[in-house]
């Protein structure tokens, strides 16, 4: 019996060590700024840097916009595909997977060619329109996660019958979408939203090449010029990501009444 | 003109004709059941009335208004689904009030109406519960209340009892019928359960392969089935091959034994083969009485069904199953016994389709 359990435990311990040891090492290193003693000086230095607050604030704002645009784009699309065009699902799934296949650098070079200041749609012409372009780019980057999260949520409810029930009660498409469907996939939408947030906060390539003051380029800048602060930032980035994951878990298990399965 | 008028409706999916030549006039307050096996087109017809499907041909009128191409949300119908379809994110009260809110009724009207509906389905104490906190029967009662809260013109019930266990099914069908009668709401009920259809309906439409086989009240459908399909689908039925001896006198030969039917033989010539039918409960063990029919045969099977004993008697090529009440004081006959069976002339049904197979 004991030998049967040893294998799985060994695998789990090795896996945990693989992830945890580098993290502990990074954290330990981030505490060594003051010679001879552990301190949070590196963290104090990071938090006192106005560029940290600015870039983090900027990325948070862009992430929230990305979530709003992503939800407005993905939820109705996934709903219509599931309800009215199920045959299109493989095609849409393929399209939503493309951002995982095409590197971000290819996407951003495509954008720069297509939307440069002398093009028919000069989105890189001003800072605000470039922000908009950045949001669109992040919507694309987050699409594989957002679409899958929402699609999984829709799979858990009887979309067709709920839609028909609402229609028979006189509801319009908008009412059905926002009063019936969206509330019932909110856990899935929140999962997608937190994943989107985590992606946007750490993204470097697109923000850097579009020359926007985002958190990713700031991380790179600090990493190139300091010793201990990058480790502190890496730990902060991990905490932010874990907070997002924790919120997914919290909302995933905490919200009742979001499953359509009859008992 | 009928309140709900379904006229020459046909529905085709690709090459597949799902519903054909469907004509039905439902009076206001009537309870009509569509009864048939899976794939007979009953649910498709209901969905066309609801507006979820559009007919390939034909018209549907509700209250004199042509609704054939009107979207479902503009038809003022109430619908109850097999899978309940309660909104999981809303409480019982919110579910019931949903249609009223959508119709932009004032809050002062919605509250009392929801309360009235909760009283009607006897669940006023569950107003704040979520659907997942209710049993199947409770969920379906809430779905019913939600469907009728907005006072729809027509109530459509799509196999609402199929997902429930037997006891709840019986009590809920009585509740539905009582409610429907009290409110006088025109209702269409789709089911594949003959007992439900027979016990609840004013009229039954028996359907097979997209066609209406027979329309009639439960008594007629059960006692005077017009086709072999109806006779076989509604209740248990013995179908027998019989040779016509004297069409005018209704005389037939069943495996060489003479029997007489009071039903018309519809001009079948002498010596032709007709399909006749007998309900198991219409046949009794014993000698013929007062001008009825009597046949003799050998017992092939004896089946114990609790309150009823079903006995299969082999006549020759044909066999007849008959039901007798179980009684501890009477010993049922055994396999191989030779017995006489009796039935009245009225009970020997002659089916319309002349396919003695």
């Amino acid at each position: 019996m004991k030998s049967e359990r040893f294998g799985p435990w060994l695998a789990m311990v090795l896996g945990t060590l693989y992830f945890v040891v580098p993290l502990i090492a990074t954290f330990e290193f981030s505490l060594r700024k003051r010679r001879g003693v552990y301190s949070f000086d590196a963290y104090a230095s990071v938090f006192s840097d106005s560029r940290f607050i600015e870039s983090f604030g900027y990325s948070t704002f862009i992430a929230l916009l990305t979530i709003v645009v992503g939800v407005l784009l993905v939820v109705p699309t996934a709903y219509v595909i599931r309800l009215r065009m199920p045959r299109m699902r493989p095609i849409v799934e393929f399209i939503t997977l493309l951002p995982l296949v095409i590197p971000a650098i290819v996407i951003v070079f495509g954008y720069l060619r297509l939307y440069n200041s002398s093009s028919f749609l000069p989105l890189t012409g001003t800072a605000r329109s470039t922000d908009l372009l950045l949001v669109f780019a992040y919507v694309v980057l987050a699409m594989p996660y957002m679409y899958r999260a929402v699609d999984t949520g829709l799979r858990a409810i009887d979309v067709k019958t709920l839609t028909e029930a609402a229609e028979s009660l006189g509801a319009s498409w908008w009412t059905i979408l926002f009063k019936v469907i969206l509330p019932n996939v909110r856990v899935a939408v929140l999962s997608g939203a937190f994943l989107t947030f985590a992606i946007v906060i750490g993204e470097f390539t697109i923000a850097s090449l579009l020359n926007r003051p985002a958190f990713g380029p700031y991380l790179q800048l600090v990493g190139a010029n300091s010793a201990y602060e990058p480790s502190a930032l890496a730990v902060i980035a991990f905490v932010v990501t874990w907070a997002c994951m924790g919120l997914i878990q919290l909302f995933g298990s905490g919200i009742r009444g979001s499953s359509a399965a009859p008992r | 003109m009928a309140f709900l008028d379904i006229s020459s409706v046909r529905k085709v999916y690709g090459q597949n004709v799902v519903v054909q030549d469907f004509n039905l006039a439902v009076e206001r307050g009537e309870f009509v059941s569509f009864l048939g096996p899976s794939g007979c087109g009953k649910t498709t017809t209901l969905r066309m009335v609801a507006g979820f499907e559009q007919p390939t041909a034909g018209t549907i009128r509700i209250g004199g208004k042509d609704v054939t191409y009107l979207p479902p949300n503009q038809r003022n119908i109430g619908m109850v689904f097999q899978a309940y379809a309660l909104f999981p994110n809303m409480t019982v009260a919110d579910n019931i009030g949903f249609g009223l809110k959508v119709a932009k009724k004032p809050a002062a009207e919605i509250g009392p109406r929801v309360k009235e509906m909760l009283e009607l389905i006897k669940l006023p104490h569950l107003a704040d519960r979520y659907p997942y906190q209710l049993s199947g029967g409770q969920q379906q009662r809430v779905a019913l209340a939600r469907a009728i809260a907005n006072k729809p013109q027509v109530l459509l019930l799509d196999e609402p009892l199929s997902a429930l266990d037997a006891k709840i099914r019986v009590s809920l069908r009585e509740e539905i019928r009582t409610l429907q009668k009290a409110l006088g709401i025109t209702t269409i009920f789709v089911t594949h359960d003959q007992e439900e259809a027979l016990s609840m309906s004013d009229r039954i439409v028996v359907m097979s392969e997209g066609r209406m086989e027979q329309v009639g009240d439960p008594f007629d459908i059960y006692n005077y089935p017009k086709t072999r399909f109806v006779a076989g689908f509604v209740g248990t039925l013995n179908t027998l091959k019989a040779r016509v001896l004297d069409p005018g006198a209704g005389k037939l030969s069943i495996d060489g034994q003479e029997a007489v039917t009071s039903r018309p033989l519809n001009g079948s010539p002498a010596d032709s083969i007709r399909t006749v039918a007998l309900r198991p409960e219409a046949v009794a063990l014993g000698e013929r009485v007062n001008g009825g029919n009597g046949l003799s045969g050998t017992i092939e099977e004896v089946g114990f069904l609790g309150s009823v004993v079903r006995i299969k008697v082999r006549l020759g090529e044909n066999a007849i199953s008959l039901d007798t009440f179980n009684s501890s004081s009477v010993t049922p006959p055994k396999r191989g016994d030779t017995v006489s069976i009796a039935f009245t002339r009225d009970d020997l049904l002659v089916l319309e389709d002349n396919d003695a197979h």
Side-chain angles (χ1 to χ4, degrees):
Chain A
M1 192 72 168
K2 276 186 176 176
S3 62
E4 276 175 26
R5 285 184 182 175
F6 180 72
W9 273 108
L10 181 70
M12 207 188 81
V13 168
L14 285 176
T16 308
L17 288 175
Y18 184 84
F19 286 107
V20 170
V21 168
L23 203 60
I24 292 172
T26 307
F27 180 61
E28 196 266 351
F29 184 71
S30 72
L31 301 177
R32 286 191 183 192
K33 185 167 176 149
R34 198 180 301 172
R35 188 164 293 178
V37 287
Y38 285 139
S39 72
F40 286 96
D41 286 0
Y43 293 88
S45 163
V46 164
F47 286 120
S48 63
D49 184 353
S50 64
R51 288 175 304 168
F52 168 79
I53 307 293
E54 281 162 15
S55 63
F56 195 80
Y58 176 83
S59 281
T60 303
F61 177 68
I62 293 290
L64 293 176
L65 274 181
T66 305
I67 288 164
V68 171
V69 175
V71 168
L72 289 177
L73 184 71
V74 169
V75 174
T77 306
Y79 171 62
V80 169
I81 293 293
R82 190 156 272 279
L83 190 69
R84 299 268 185 250
M85 295 187 279
R87 285 183 188 173
M88 289 288 287
R89 249 184 97 208
I91 298 167
V92 174
E93 281 196 353
F94 175 75
I95 291 169
T96 59
L97 279 176
L98 283 177
L100 295 180
V101 183
I102 301 169
I105 195 152
V106 175
I107 295 174
V108 76
F109 271 109
Y111 281 180
L112 288 172
R113 274 193 79 84
L114 206 59
Y115 303 118
N116 63 59
S117 50
S118 56
S119 74
F120 72 102
L121 194 59
L123 282 177
T124 54
T126 67
R128 289 290 79 80
S129 58
T130 312
D131 290 341
L132 199 63
L133 188 60
L134 188 64
V135 169
F136 292 155
Y138 286 159
V139 168
V140 171
L141 276 194
M143 199 149 60
Y145 309 99
M146 183 60 99
Y147 183 83
R148 248 140 221 84
V150 172
D151 195 48
T152 305
L154 288 172
R155 202 177 302 166
I157 60 171
D158 188 348
V159 172
K160 185 167 177 272
T161 314
L162 288 180
T163 301
E164 287 179 353
E167 273 185 302
S168 73
L169 294 164
S172 67
W173 272 82
W174 282 110
T175 308
I176 295 170
L177 195 60
F178 287 102
K179 295 274 172 66
V180 177
I181 300 300
L182 199 55
N184 284 304
V185 293
R186 77 189 145 175
V187 174
V189 169
L190 281 170
S191 299
F194 292 130
L195 283 171
T196 303
F197 188 81
I199 290 167
V200 173
I201 285 294
E203 205 283 329
F204 167 77
T205 315
I206 296 175
S208 175
L209 286 167
L210 288 179
N211 195 27
R212 301 312 302 143
F215 191 56
Y218 170 73
L219 279 178
Q220 188 275 334
L221 185 74
V222 174
N225 298 306
S226 314
Y228 301 100
E229 281 78 359
S231 297
L233 278 169
V235 171
I236 291 167
F238 264 111
V239 169
V240 169
T241 309
W242 283 349
C244 289
M245 296 299 172
L247 286 171
I248 294 174
Q249 289 297 320
L250 187 72
F251 282 100
S253 58
I255 295 174
R256 305 217 106 194
S258 55
S259 164
R263 285 192 175 185
Chain B
M1 190 186 235
F3 184 67
L4 168 61
D5 188 38
I6 307 170
S7 178
S8 304
V9 162
R10 180 181 165 85
K11 180 69 185 177
V12 180
Y13 292 116
Q15 301 289 313
N16 191 15
V17 180
V18 184
V19 178
Q20 51 185 315
D21 199 26
F22 195 100
N23 288 286
L24 183 71
V26 182
E27 296 302 328
R28 189 187 285 270
E30 202 177 5
F31 191 115
V32 177
S33 290
F34 293 174
L35 175 66
S38 296
C40 71
K42 57 188 190 298
T43 297
T44 307
T45 309
L46 186 89
R47 289 173 62 78
M48 287 193 280
V49 177
F52 300 133
E53 307 280 351
Q54 286 196 346
T56 310
T59 54
I60 298 168
R61 290 173 177 278
I62 300 175
K65 184 184 174 189
D66 188 343
V67 298
T68 315
Y69 301 105
L70 208 62
N73 57 1
Q74 291 172 30
R75 292 193 182 199
N76 191 19
I77 46 146
M79 185 143 173
V80 178
F81 299 82
Q82 183 181 346
Y84 320 135
L86 293 179
F87 306 130
N89 56 310
M90 296 181 202
T91 62
V92 166
D94 288 341
N95 263 284
I96 296 173
F98 181 83
L100 300 162
K101 274 186 193 157
V102 165
K104 296 193 166 59
K105 296 272 163 59
E109 194 181 316
I110 294 174
R113 181 69 179 158
V114 168
K115 210 172 164 196
E116 186 190 339
M117 289 294 109
L118 282 165
E119 299 283 348
L120 208 60
I121 59 167
K122 302 183 186 90
L123 297 175
H125 55 293
L126 300 182
D128 296 327
R129 296 266 181 95
Y130 282 92
Y132 74 91
Q133 295 171 313
L134 306 179
S135 69
Q138 288 170 333
Q139 288 193 54
Q140 203 56 299
R141 276 145 82 188
V142 174
L144 182 67
R146 183 180 67 177
I148 58 178
N150 219 3
K151 298 179 182 165
Q153 296 189 90
V154 180
L155 177 63
L156 306 173
L157 307 167
D158 186 8
E159 307 211 29
L161 308 174
S162 302
L164 305 172
D165 62 56
K167 270 193 174 172
I168 304 281
R169 216 156 50 212
V170 172
S171 68
L172 196 54
R173 81 183 181 210
E174 284 163 5
E175 273 184 52
I176 290 174
R177 184 58 167 143
T178 309
L179 261 174
Q180 184 270 337
K181 274 185 177 168
L183 300 172
I185 185 167
T186 312
T187 303
I188 296 190
F189 179 80
V190 163
T191 181
H192 60 263
D193 185 324
Q194 39 136 338
E195 200 180 301
E196 279 174 12
L198 290 169
S199 65
M200 297 171 79
S201 318
D202 291 319
R203 275 194 301 159
I204 298 172
V205 179
V206 185
M207 293 182 70
S208 167
E209 293 175 355
R211 282 190 305 271
M212 302 167 84
E213 288 278 329
Q214 190 174 346
V215 183
D217 64 42
F219 185 84
D220 278 349
I221 294 283
Y222 191 81
N223 292 304
Y224 306 109
K226 281 187 179 165
T227 66
R228 187 183 172 127
F229 174 82
V230 175
F233 192 77
V234 183
T236 312
L237 194 82
N238 296 292
T239 53
L240 313 165
K241 280 187 206 173
R243 183 175 300 282
V244 178
L245 298 177
D246 182 350
K251 274 189 189 171
L252 299 150
S253 167
I254 303 169
D255 287 323
Q257 303 185 63
E258 199 175 294
V260 183
T261 176
S262 57
R263 314 285 174 135
L265 282 165
N266 288 343
S268 302
D271 254 8
S272 62
I273 301 291
R274 289 298 303 259
T275 304
V276 294
L278 275 167
R279 297 275 180 210
E281 66 271 22
V283 187
L285 284 173
E287 299 297 328
R288 82 176 74 183
V289 283
N290 298 339
N293 289 302
L295 303 172
S296 66
T298 311
I299 292 186
E300 194 171 270
E301 271 176 44
V302 179
F304 180 64
L305 307 176
S307 61
V308 167
V309 179
R310 180 157 290 173
I311 299 166
K312 190 175 182 183
V313 178
R314 172 67 56 186
L315 303 174
E317 199 182 327
N318 293 300
I320 293 176
S321 288
L322 61 99
D323 289 346
T324 61
F325 282 113
N326 173 34
S327 165
S328 57
S329 60
V330 178
T331 314
K334 295 183 188 66
R335 269 185 74 178
D337 287 357
T338 301
V339 290
S340 294
I341 56 170
F343 48 90
T344 67
R345 294 176 174 202
D346 277 352
D347 286 324
L348 187 59
L349 310 171
V350 179
L351 304 182
E352 264 180 15
D353 39 353
N354 196 8
D355 54 345
H357 49 89

